[in-house]
């Protein structure tokens, strides 16, 4: 039988101390070993919890071990548990392998009863203090161990205050007599419930330990573990520790301290209360940092001038501080570079690059609630006066006003207004709507698809039914605040925290780049994007969404004619007008990424998305095409789709209207040759989207190579390029072996693959997916944020295996939005992909996460 | 080395004669053996073709065998090949294992040259005949063997006719001298091309045989094989046969005959030309039928009073005739029942149950082209005057007029007009649109989603831009004809062939039921459907689409309130109004299927489909719910979906608005108990649609069983039911093992599974899927008609394996529209499913196909 109880100064077996003693117990043991002043105590192992859960009772031999351990504490504290003259009081706390803040129970002040309370009063010289401790024990024990509703105690306290004539008096101002009376009444409540408070201190202790173990299985703890993916089988440890008191007069106190500034990372003790024991704490802090290899968040109590450290743990910190601390701890020799990389939450790095509002939780604490929630379409924050018209946005902005552009949805006619505005809000449209895509391209904050908004252009008002059922109307010029990272709209101006400048980030990124094996590319659709991406460390473009290149007025008009041309010859003519513009853009992108791969996805936009919406635009297109308006209208009607996601798009258009893809192939290769001729090193990769049938890819390959030969002949020189496909349909995964016969690379388009594997449209999931994740917990996370490994991941693994079996040197990448999610990046590394591609602001996230993934995989 | 050449009277090795000699060679061999008068000849094996393809030359020893075989023909024919006095002429024809009509080449009249043509003229006593044969040979040889463009010959003939003074004279009226001149000019063309016509008859023969083998690889043959799934490795045989001539005067002739009437199946020789040799042919016909076990299509030639049979093969026939012939051949002792089942094309049986128009191909021959093509939404045919309004349709129909209802799309307000009309046409909407579903339910013919139609309600006109670019406008009252089986709209009235009454069908179906193992259920949504299905032999309902039960005005209104209720309490109230109606319907369906399983799929309709479209209906709902119209409008707007196929539907609604599924579970189980109490044997199965996450199914199971217990308690008795799920998402296949923990059955919803595996919306596929199948041949068949085995089929197999591994007695079925497709039924049988479910008119198809599948699987 293994040991059940470990004193803080006991030698531990060769096993992860946290696994055996929980985080808290392990920390106390370590601190004791380091000679840090810790009140004496011991920890009951997680195994005891598991035994207790299985049998409903403590294991054999436990009582004896507990008794011996308690005697050890008595010895070190110089007091005895239950001693009527000078009683030892103890706390009993839970502590699992990982922190589950507030989820389980704690009981303080055990060891008090009618006799010992008098002893405490005598030794402390403070009767009020002693009865205050006693009434707290009775209430806590009644609630936690005996299961009596805590409202009963609160009501009793309220009634007593009333009787004393001041219902609003503070607890700390109640005199000792009142507290004595309160204890009497509390004890009576428990008697009345048939659950008397045990005056036997040993019974108190056993009851409290059992209650702590039981709290592992309370509803909120179970739910929390499910959410966090913590196994129910771990169990909690239970720590029993001598009480020290920070409320024994002027020379006592309690507080928390951080060993560094949790906001900036600056190396200096930072705490809420430091009394007069500072020097000692600083020394302790350094010792603890060195031991745990991290900035510590320390709880301490000063009891009559003597400082005790009650708990130490890694401190929470801002992203800014996390980066600085990790880098400095390496410089101080505390951490290796690899360890430092593991200490920064990769996701948090994105915050550093954008202005932001306080988080919704932080605002809620301040009583500020969003008036509406939409999709977090483009990160960042913006505050400004609302306007409903792009021209007006431009005009007001030119006068120096901060404006937000509010539209039901945006279209290319709105782009000048979007550029002028600080942020954009739309009532409809998803993460890939015009507003979302353009805003991300412009680096503007955007909340899209905010369905609760009722935009009235005529009245120039915005009406919202808020989440709490209130109806609010905003006029043109009213100020709102947007949080594009959380998809929130707030009334009135909020403080915007500017993007941080963290000098240490560059060093951390350098280490990440040295460590990782997974390459990191960027999703970039314009030359400006490409340049920005390279400056953020992109090793190529993994996805250039060419459809986004048409979000410009003049191109859009020509593309409308392309869509509505009616036949290939007319279409080719209009494509001819676009070709030189595209060629120029491609050349600029290849220049920005000189020497690095640039994967260009041929058009993937349902033709009907190019269609004009307003009647006068039908007429414009009809004039341009030289056909009656009615013909244009009918063609447009015929192109309407019920499920555009599953419609006539991408390669399906490429094959049925081949002049479009032919033009794009020409523009890409001409651009590449332009770069060659300018002495550059262009590395274009042509990617065919939405392939599900092997023949689609082979037929399109034939067409691509035909067009390539034509270009090479016309230019009198050749340029190397790769041909591959985006894997974004389940069927593509199934026939990946066939696809690999034509493709030199696969790039997993995990957005669409998630949509088709789940049969869930991301744009339409708002009414059930959050309920699935948050409320019903049918999914651990949003599969559009983190790859669903059981479903989507299984398809990806299948596609990789089948593809590589056919073509050993097949290049494998991932270019969905998951490419910027650390958990998904770990999946990509584990699956053997060679790169991920993400949006430029996510590049630091991806680089760090890739390094962390490498370390994790090496360890496993 | 195996033999290369087989005379028609040679004994064959123990190998499938068709594999060795092709269908034609095998038929001639068999006829010769049966003593049927066949002109002598021999067949060169498919192996020689393969050798020829591989080496570009004939195999060793072939020339010798050919010479010997030719001598045998000479002996039997009493003439010698190349004999100047009395020449033997031969034909050289291709013939593969299966018929590839018109795809490969044939050369006739080989053996003619400048000398032998004179001998033929002398022995036939007809110089014109001899030179006509010669000029045909030179042209055919020039074209097929020497590769000279046939236009050259046609131009020369045209020029000659002009010179003779009558450019329009018929070939058969050209005098011998003209034909002699023509031969000279033809020979000169070939000389001029450097490809002289060989006067050596042996060289002619070798050249012709090589050309026949080469024609196996011509473009149209390769394409045809690809379409039909015929392996390129089969090769063709080549038959060399003595020519007989039907053009030698009054006592000669050629023709074709069927051994039974190919239209009705009546047992009587039926041919286009019978001369005076009838008795002999009848005897030959019977002999051939007995040998081949099938009605034969015979080609014969009468040469100067003597009849030769040139070819025999199984004759094409109508579905009606096929059924009758198959059954009668069993009665005549020619076929076993199992063989007879294999002789009827299962798909063709559906024709028997519906009125129909001539097929589009038949009409094209008559110069009749559809004015528009839409989706074949509900089979059958209809002719009538067009009207644009349901009320008017009803009024005119009550006056005895045949009308067609033409709408942009239909809604429940149109149902009375749909009932009154002969057929329905819509401009928008897919196979599951309101029009399609209701028309199928009513058994009315319907063409849906006919995008080329421009319906103008104001002008009461229908304008169409036809496939050949013509614009046609039809006024109210104009007559159109509809083909709901092919999705065609024709101008004017066409002849409708009524549904056939085939007494033999019942017997054939009985045999099918005895043979098959796969059970056949029906998709039925109403009590009337259920009764009809049982009369067609359904062994249960495999799919009751409950959403179709709401296509009734009064229910629809309540469902609108359900959709727009805003909260669960209000929703439950409106559901309460619907519950008794549903319960009654379920009871009637369980009664119709007493003792058989009835699988009821809980609601699978996007809530927004229930939404009102007209403003006055918003007001109606607002009144009913007691909220302002603006609230209803806003709720409706929020429910709009971009991709409804991937949206908030089915179990997703079931979980987020649980009162709906709870109501349905109650209605089903109350109905079942009603049936129990009435002495029935109800076997309800509750099926959850669109499940992709294991938790969806387990959570819904909990809710279902909770509700069941409530019903059982209230009623004081229990009823057995099964709980299962529809597998229609890729992810469901991947997590099938998890799903099988909750599900007692899986039913594959292959429509949606095909949509999600391919990422193709069936409703939107019209602009590319037909191009993929017909033009680009990227897919062998439409995957919405026949299961795509590589993709969708692979997912189904995976789901079956994983499901059964978890639950050995898991019941497996298939209920997409593929359930009525023979090839998909074979797949289902091979995969080990226990049933398929199809629409009632497809039941005979499915029963026969299931029997055929059983036979095929036993053979393999």
């Amino acid at each position: 039988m293994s040991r059940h109880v470990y004193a803080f100064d006991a030698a531990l077996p060769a096993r992860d101390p946290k696994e055996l003693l929980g985080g808290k117990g392990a920390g106390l043991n370590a601190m004791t070993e380091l000679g840090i002043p810790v009140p004496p105590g011991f920890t009951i192992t997680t195994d005891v919890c598991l035994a207790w859960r299985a049998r409903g009772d403590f294991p054999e031999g436990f009582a004896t071990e507990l008794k011996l351990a308690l005697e050890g504490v008595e010895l070190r504290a110089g007091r005895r548990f239950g001693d009527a003259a000078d009683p030892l009081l103890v706390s009993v706390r839970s502590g699992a392998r990982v922190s589950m803040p507030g989820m389980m129970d704690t009981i303080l002040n055990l060891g008090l009863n009618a006799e010992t309370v008098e002893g405490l009063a005598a030794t402390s010289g403070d009767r009020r203090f002693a009865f205050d401790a006693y009434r707290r024990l009775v209430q806590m024990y009644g609630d936690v161990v005996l299961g009596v509703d805590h409202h009963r105690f609160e009501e009793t306290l309220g009634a007593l205050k009333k009787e004393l004539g001041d219902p609003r008096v503070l607890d700390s101002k109640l005199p000792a007599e009142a507290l004595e009376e309160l204890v009497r009444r509390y004890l009576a409540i428990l008697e009345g419930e048939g659950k008397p408070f045990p005056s036997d201190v040993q019974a108190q202790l056993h009851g409290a330990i059992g209650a702590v173990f039981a709290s592992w299985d309370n509803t909120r703890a179970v739910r929390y573990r499910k959410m966090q993916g913590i196994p129910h089988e771990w169990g909690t440890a239970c720590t029993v520790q001598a009480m020290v008191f920070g409320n024994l007069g002027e020379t006592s106190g309690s507080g928390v301290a951080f060993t560094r500034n949790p906001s900036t990372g600056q190396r200096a003790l930072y705490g809420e209360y430091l009394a007069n024991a500072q020097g000692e704490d600083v020394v302790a802090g350094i010792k603890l940092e060195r031991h745990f290899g991290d900035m510590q968040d320390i709880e301490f109590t000063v009891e009559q001038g003597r400082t005790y450290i009650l708990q130490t743990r890694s401190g929470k910190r801002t992203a800014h501080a996390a980066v600085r601390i990790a880098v400095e701890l390496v410089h101080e020799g505390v951490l290796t570079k690899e360890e430092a990389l593991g200490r920064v939450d990769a996701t948090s790095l994105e915050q550093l690059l954008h202005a932001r509002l306080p988080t919704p939780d932080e605002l809620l604490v301040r009583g500020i609630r969003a008036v509406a929630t939409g999709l977090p379409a483009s990160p960042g924050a913006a505050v400004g006066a609302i306007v409903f018209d792009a021209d007006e946005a431009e005009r007001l902005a030119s006068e120096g006003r901060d404006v937000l552009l509010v539209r039901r949805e945006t279209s290319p006619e709105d782009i000048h207004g979007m550029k002028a505005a600080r942020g954009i809000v739309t009532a409809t449209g998803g993460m890939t709507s015009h507003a979302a895509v353009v805003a991300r391209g412009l680096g503007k904050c955007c909340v899209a698809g905010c369905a609760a908004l009722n935009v009235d252009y005529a009245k120039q008002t915005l009406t919202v039914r808020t989440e709490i059922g209130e109806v609010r109307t905003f006029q043109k010029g009213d100020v709102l605040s947007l949080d594009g990272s959380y998809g929130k709209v707030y009334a009135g101006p909020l403080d915007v925290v500017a993007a941080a400048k963290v000098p240490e980030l560059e060093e951390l990124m350098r280490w990440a780049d040295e460590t990782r094996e997974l390459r990191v590319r960027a999703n970039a659709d314009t030359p400006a994007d490409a340049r920005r991406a390279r400056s953020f460390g992109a090793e190529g473009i993994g996805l250039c969404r060419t459809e986004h290149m048409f979000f410009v007025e003049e191109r859009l008009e020509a593309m409308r004619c392309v869509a509505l041309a009616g036949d290939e010859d007319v279409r080719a003519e209009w494509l001819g007008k676009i070709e030189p513009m595209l060629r120029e853009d491609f050349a600029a992108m290849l220049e920005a990424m000189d020497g690095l791969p640039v994967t260009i996805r041929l058009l993937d936009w349902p033709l009907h998305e190019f269609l004009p919406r307003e009647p006068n635009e039908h007429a414009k297109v009809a004039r341009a095409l030289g056909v009656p308006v009615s013909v244009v209208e009918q063609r447009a009607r015929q192109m309407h789709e019920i499920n555009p996601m599953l419609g006539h798009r991408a390669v399906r258009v490429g094959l049925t209207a081949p002049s479009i893809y032919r033009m794009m192939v020409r523009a890409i290769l001409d651009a590449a040759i332009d770069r060659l001729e300018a002495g550059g090193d262009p590395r274009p990769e042509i990617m065919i989207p939405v392939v599900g049938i092997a023949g689609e890819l082979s037929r399109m390959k034939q067409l691509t190579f035909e067009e390539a030969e034509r270009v090479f002949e016309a230019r009198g020189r050749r340029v190397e390029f790769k041909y591959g496909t985006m894997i974004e349909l389940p069927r593509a995964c199934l026939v990946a072996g066939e696809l690999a016969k034509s493709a030199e690379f696969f790039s997993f388009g995990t957005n669409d693959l998630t949509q088709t594997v789940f049969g869930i449209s991301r744009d339409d999931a708002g009414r059930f997916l959050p309920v699935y994740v948050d409320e019903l917990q049918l999914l651990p996370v949003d599969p559009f944020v983190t790859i669903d490994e059981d479903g989507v991941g299984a398809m990806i693994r299948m596609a990789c295996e089948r593809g590589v079996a056919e073509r050993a040197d097949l290049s494998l990448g991932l270019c969905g939005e998951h490419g910027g999610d650390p958990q998904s990046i770990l999946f990509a590394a584990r699956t053997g992909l060679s790169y991920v591609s993400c949006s430029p602001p996510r590049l630091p996230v991806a680089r760090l996460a890739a390094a962390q993934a490498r370390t994790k995989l090496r360890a496993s």
Side-chain angles (χ1 to χ4, degrees), chain A:
Chain A
M1 191 67 203
S2 60
R3 214 167 132 183
H4 300 117
V5 179
Y6 288 87
F8 294 166
D9 55 357
L12 299 183
R15 181 175 164 192
D16 179 355
K18 284 189 179 181
E19 201 182 304
L20 184 71
L21 304 179
K24 189 192 307 284
L28 288 164
N29 194 286
M31 286 196 287
T32 304
E33 196 183 350
L34 291 170
I36 308 265
V38 168
F42 54 85
T43 303
I44 304 164
T45 69
T46 53
D47 296 338
V48 177
C49 175
L50 299 179
W52 193 90
R53 288 177 86 205
R55 325 180 345 165
D57 200 357
F58 298 108
E60 214 178 323
F62 169 73
T64 313
E65 280 193 57
L66 178 65
K67 187 164 167 284
L68 287 171
L70 189 61
E71 285 170 11
V73 175
E74 289 173 333
L75 202 67
R76 281 171 195 78
R79 289 180 176 127
R80 296 183 57 87
F81 192 55
D83 182 347
D86 183 9
L88 170 70
L89 303 191
V90 299
S91 62
V92 173
R93 298 173 202 254
S94 60
R97 209 183 293 188
V98 297
S99 170
M100 292 170 54
M103 292 299 132
M104 292 183 289
D105 291 324
T106 285
I107 299 140
L108 305 176
N109 301 343
L110 288 156
L112 287 174
N113 57 26
E115 288 86 45
T116 58
V117 70
E118 298 292 349
L120 182 63
T123 56
S124 67
D126 186 344
R127 189 168 184 83
R128 198 202 158 280
F129 157 73
F131 277 91
D132 191 41
Y134 193 19
R135 66 113 184 172
R136 287 173 194 275
L137 169 65
V138 176
Q139 168 167 0
M140 209 178 282
Y141 200 94
D143 172 13
V144 172
V145 185
L146 303 175
V148 174
D149 192 338
H150 61 93
H151 292 115
R152 300 284 307 275
F153 302 104
E154 286 151 19
E155 284 158 14
T156 303
L157 174 59
L160 183 65
K161 286 181 177 177
K162 228 177 193 171
E163 289 168 31
L164 295 172
D166 181 359
R168 309 178 70 171
V169 65
L170 292 175
D171 289 8
S172 58
K173 299 292 177 204
L174 288 174
E177 299 70 36
L179 294 170
E180 285 195 54
E181 173 58 23
L182 199 57
V183 167
R184 269 193 296 278
R185 294 193 187 180
Y186 281 2
L187 290 171
I189 289 172
L190 296 179
E191 284 286 342
E193 290 279 331
K195 298 170 176 174
F197 177 76
S199 60
D200 174 6
V201 296
Q202 295 295 338
Q204 286 177 14
L205 182 60
H206 278 83
I209 294 169
V212 161
F213 287 150
S215 72
W216 175 256
D217 287 307
N218 73 34
T219 315
R220 68 177 189 282
V222 169
R223 184 167 292 179
Y224 180 85
R225 287 200 296 276
K226 213 165 155 188
M227 261 170 56
Q228 302 285 323
I230 302 170
H232 299 308
E233 299 74 35
W234 282 1
T236 181
C238 175
T239 292
V240 178
Q241 189 174 24
M243 293 290 302
V244 291
F245 295 96
N247 52 350
L248 280 174
E250 290 299 305
T251 57
S252 301
S254 306
V256 295
F258 290 84
T259 56
R260 305 191 181 218
N261 183 321
S263 179
T264 65
Q266 198 193 1
R267 192 180 177 196
L269 201 63
Y270 178 98
E272 292 181 8
Y273 172 92
L274 281 177
N276 42 10
Q278 206 167 20
E280 200 176 322
D281 286 343
V282 171
V283 173
I286 291 172
K287 268 193 202 167
L288 287 168
E289 270 197 353
R290 294 215 155 248
H291 180 76
F292 290 104
D294 199 6
M295 180 261 257
Q296 297 292 299
D297 168 358
I298 298 167
E299 279 182 32
F300 62 89
T301 287
V302 184
E303 187 184 71
Q304 297 176 324
R306 177 140 187 234
T307 302
Y308 295 91
I309 311 286
L310 301 184
Q311 176 168 309
T312 186
R313 58 184 173 193
S314 289
K316 288 205 191 305
R317 67 207 79 178
T318 63
H320 184 151
V323 169
R324 177 166 174 182
I325 291 169
V327 170
E328 290 189 350
L329 284 175
V330 173
H331 293 167
E332 291 164 24
V334 176
L335 293 184
T336 64
K337 289 175 184 173
E338 203 165 77
E339 286 168 338
L341 289 167
R343 289 294 162 76
V344 178
D345 171 13
T347 310
S348 73
L349 293 187
E350 203 186 350
Q351 307 174 3
L352 297 181
L353 305 174
H354 298 290
R356 61 191 178 87
L357 296 183
T359 66
D361 284 348
E362 287 165 355
L363 289 170
L364 208 56
V365 170
R366 288 158 52 185
I368 299 170
R369 200 182 271 277
V371 293
T373 300
L375 297 169
S378 181
V383 175
I386 58 173
V387 296
F388 299 94
D389 180 89
D391 293 339
E392 187 147 21
E394 195 177 41
R395 190 174 57 73
L396 289 176
S398 73
E399 293 169 7
R401 293 277 298 278
D402 290 339
V403 298
L404 304 179
L405 180 62
V406 178
R407 299 284 299 167
R408 282 196 204 119
E409 61 187 336
T410 63
S411 74
E413 289 81 8
D414 297 321
I415 289 184
H416 61 293
M418 298 173 77
K419 282 185 183 159
R422 291 265 161 191
I424 296 115
V425 189
T426 65
T428 65
M431 292 294 288
T432 56
S433 63
H434 178 268
V437 167
V438 172
R440 286 199 292 272
L442 296 171
K444 300 273 178 185
C445 136
C446 174
V447 177
C450 202
L453 301 186
N454 205 343
V455 179
D456 190 325
Y457 291 136
K459 293 191 194 146
Q460 297 271 294
T461 59
L462 175 65
T463 306
V464 188
R465 181 175 296 268
T466 69
E467 282 148 27
I468 56 169
E470 197 188 353
V471 175
R472 298 190 61 169
T473 298
F474 300 94
Q475 312 289 335
K476 184 177 75 175
D478 285 352
V479 172
L480 299 182
S481 299
L482 298 188
D483 186 334
S485 308
Y486 288 90
K488 299 286 178 187
V489 180
Y490 299 95
L494 292 177
D495 294 339
V496 174
V497 183
K501 191 85 195 138
V502 188
E504 292 80 4
L505 181 59
E506 206 170 308
E507 190 162 11
L508 192 77
M509 284 293 110
R510 202 166 54 243
W511 300 341
D513 294 345
E514 287 162 14
T515 304
R516 68 191 163 88
E517 289 190 333
L518 201 63
R519 301 293 90 193
V520 174
R521 300 192 195 174
N523 299 348
D525 312 324
T526 62
D529 267 6
R531 286 186 285 268
R532 189 155 62 115
R534 189 149 199 181
S535 80
F536 285 163
E539 297 162 297
I541 291 177
L543 177 61
C544 166
R545 289 154 297 199
T546 49
E547 56 279 8
H548 296 173
M549 300 170 82
F550 297 106
F551 276 142
V552 179
E553 185 88 40
E554 50 184 354
R555 297 184 190 179
L556 187 87
E557 273 186 44
M559 279 310 278
R560 282 181 177 160
C561 293
V562 167
L564 292 160
D567 77 59
E568 282 285 280
D569 290 342
V570 179
R571 181 169 289 134
E573 198 180 300
W574 285 95
L575 287 166
K577 297 185 203 292
I578 297 167
E579 187 170 342
M581 310 182 214
L582 279 195
R583 174 174 167 179
E584 205 175 302
D585 274 5
F586 286 138
M589 293 174 79
L590 289 167
E591 184 176 2
M593 285 290 169
D594 197 63
L596 295 174
V598 174
T599 308
I600 299 167
R601 180 174 75 184
L602 301 191
L603 198 66
D604 177 14
W605 220 20
L607 278 184
H608 85 80
E609 286 246 356
F610 288 100
L611 299 184
R613 302 199 174 156
E614 312 291 328
N616 73 319
E617 286 166 5
H618 281 109
K620 218 167 169 184
V621 173
R623 258 199 316 281
L625 288 173
V627 297
V629 178
S630 66
V631 169
V632 167
E633 283 169 353
Q634 199 193 351
R635 287 183 190 159
R637 211 166 28 242
Q638 285 181 25
M639 290 168 80
H640 173 77
E641 296 195 315
I642 299 174
N643 293 290
M645 167 72 207
L646 307 176
H648 191 201
R649 54 182 286 223
V651 72
R652 299 164 190 170
V653 175
L655 286 166
T656 53
S659 54
I660 301 176
Y661 275 21
R662 284 191 188 274
M663 178 279 275
M664 299 190 89
V665 169
R666 281 197 306 273
I668 292 166
L669 296 179
D670 264 324
I673 294 179
D674 292 346
R675 289 295 310 142
L676 267 191
E677 291 181 347
D681 178 9
R683 307 207 176 167
E685 305 189 338
I686 294 178
M687 178 157 75
I688 310 297
V690 192
V691 168
I693 302 166
E696 289 175 321
L697 195 64
S698 56
R699 186 146 196 123
M700 195 47 76
K701 184 171 190 174
Q702 191 187 335
L703 187 148
T704 300
F705 280 75
E706 266 170 38
E707 210 59 40
E709 286 305 323
R710 237 172 263 170
V711 171
F712 297 162
E713 200 165 314
R715 300 292 295 268
R717 64 188 301 170
R718 312 178 71 80
V719 65
E720 299 254 318
F721 71 95
K722 283 192 172 180
Y723 179 84
T725 185
M726 195 136 165
I727 302 280
E728 48 193 330
L729 297 176
R731 198 172 187 283
C733 300
L734 291 162
V735 302
E738 284 300 304
L739 296 179
K741 288 182 181 162
S742 306
E744 295 168 87
F745 63 87
F746 284 176
S747 179
F748 291 94
T750 49
N751 296 354
D752 277 9
L753 191 58
T754 301
Q755 297 197 86
T756 48
V757 166
F758 273 91
I760 292 179
S761 157
R762 189 175 184 185
D763 288 336
D764 300 311
R767 279 183 296 133
F768 62 95
L769 202 53
V771 178
Y772 273 26
V773 176
D774 301 332
E775 192 180 315
L776 300 177
Q777 287 157 19
L778 302 177
L779 288 170
V781 287
D782 181 341
F784 291 106
V785 172
T786 297
I787 284 221
D788 157 53
E789 293 204 22
D790 292 346
V792 178
M795 292 305 283
I796 292 176
R797 281 192 297 271
M798 182 197 295
C800 291
E801 282 161 21
R802 294 181 180 186
V804 170
E806 175 63 38
R807 183 190 289 259
D809 66 346
L810 184 71
S811 158
L812 299 167
L814 185 157
C815 66
E817 290 188 35
H818 298 93
D821 168 67
Q823 191 60 33
S824 308
I825 290 169
L826 177 59
F827 166 81
R830 197 167 352 96
T831 307
L833 304 190
S834 58
Y835 70 86
V836 294
S837 186
C838 61
S839 64
R842 281 258 162 176
L843 282 163
V845 178
R847 289 159 71 193
L848 178 54
Q852 291 172 340
R854 170 83 179 114
T855 306
K856 276 183 200 152
L857 292 182
R858 201 146 41 183
S860 69

